[in-house]
Amino acid sequence: MTGIDFDCHACAATHLGADGTRDRPWPVLSFAVPDPVLRLAPHELRDVEITEDLCLIERPEGAEQYVRVSMHVPIRDDPERRMEYAPWVSLAEDDLVDILDHLGDDGYRTVYPGRLASALPGYETAGPVPVLVHSRGYLRPLIGPDPTNESPLGRDFLGGITREEAELRIRAFLLR
């Protein structure tokens, strides 16, 4: 493959021939809202509060909490490249409060259990995959595999994917 052309929402520029290198990075595959929001009826949307990085859905049985995270999948045999996502993860209320309480505290590091709440290209049928959410001070939390779950996503977190597979996923994402 020869690289990917895309319009960047972050810098409002068109990038030509992105190949996943530091000088020509691929786009971050970012999701506007957690998937459960997409399944709500129009009248239920009034019960949603959403910012760029947080989402709360008020339900009669209790609130659902979501946080946008960063996720990196390595490219096999090429440490210079990685595929980057910005999906949503569901968290327990106490864990979300802890993240917010320590936002900006670069010395505070902890890990929370979560569940992926975005259908990622290549993993659409995986369901709500368990993940580990790592706090990172000012940066968005980073997710990694939950070692108790053997899923295709967990396998790719550890073993990586090919450059060709990454480019196919990115192209499919950009066409949605």
Side-chain angles (χ1 to χ4, degrees):
M1 297 194 181
T2 59
I4 296 173
D5 301 338
F6 67 97
D7 295 322
C8 181
H9 298 290
C11 71
T14 298
H15 297 272
L16 302 174
D19 63 2
T21 59
R22 185 179 312 271
D23 293 334
R24 296 186 339 197
W26 288 317
V28 174
L29 305 189
S30 186
F31 300 81
V33 298
D35 287 358
V37 172
L38 300 174
R39 294 188 289 271
L40 294 174
H43 72 278
E44 294 174 304
L45 291 174
R46 69 176 181 269
D47 300 325
V48 175
E49 292 181 44
I50 192 161
T51 69
E52 185 176 334
D53 291 305
L54 297 172
C55 178
L56 300 173
I57 303 174
E58 292 293 335
R59 301 208 186 250
E61 61 275 9
E64 295 175 17
Q65 298 78 216
Y66 301 91
V67 63
R68 188 189 304 267
V69 296
S70 293
M71 180 180 123
H72 307 148
V73 175
I75 303 304
R76 270 188 231 135
D77 303 321
D78 193 344
E80 183 180 357
R81 291 180 174 89
R82 67 181 183 193
M83 188 166 173
E84 297 188 37
Y85 293 90
W88 293 86
V89 170
S90 65
L91 288 173
E93 182 178 2
D94 290 346
D95 294 341
L96 180 62
V97 168
D98 193 59
I99 285 175
L100 295 175
D101 284 348
H102 293 94
L103 192 63
D105 181 354
D106 274 338
Y108 185 76
R109 296 287 188 267
T110 193
V111 179
Y112 313 95
R115 290 184 119 20
L116 198 58
S118 299
L120 305 178
Y123 309 103
E124 289 86 349
T125 60
V129 175
V131 293
L132 297 177
V133 180
H134 302 262
S135 66
R136 302 190 302 163
Y138 286 107
L139 299 174
R140 265 190 191 138
L142 181 68
I143 63 170
D146 180 330
T148 65
N149 180 271
E150 294 184 23
S151 68
L153 179 60
R155 179 193 67 234
D156 290 350
F157 265 130
L158 300 173
I161 60 175
T162 65
R163 177 180 172 185
E164 293 77 20
E165 179 64 23
E167 289 189 355
L168 287 171
R169 290 179 187 184
I170 292 166
R171 290 177 197 282
F173 185 86
L174 294 174
L175 292 175
R176 334 180 282 147

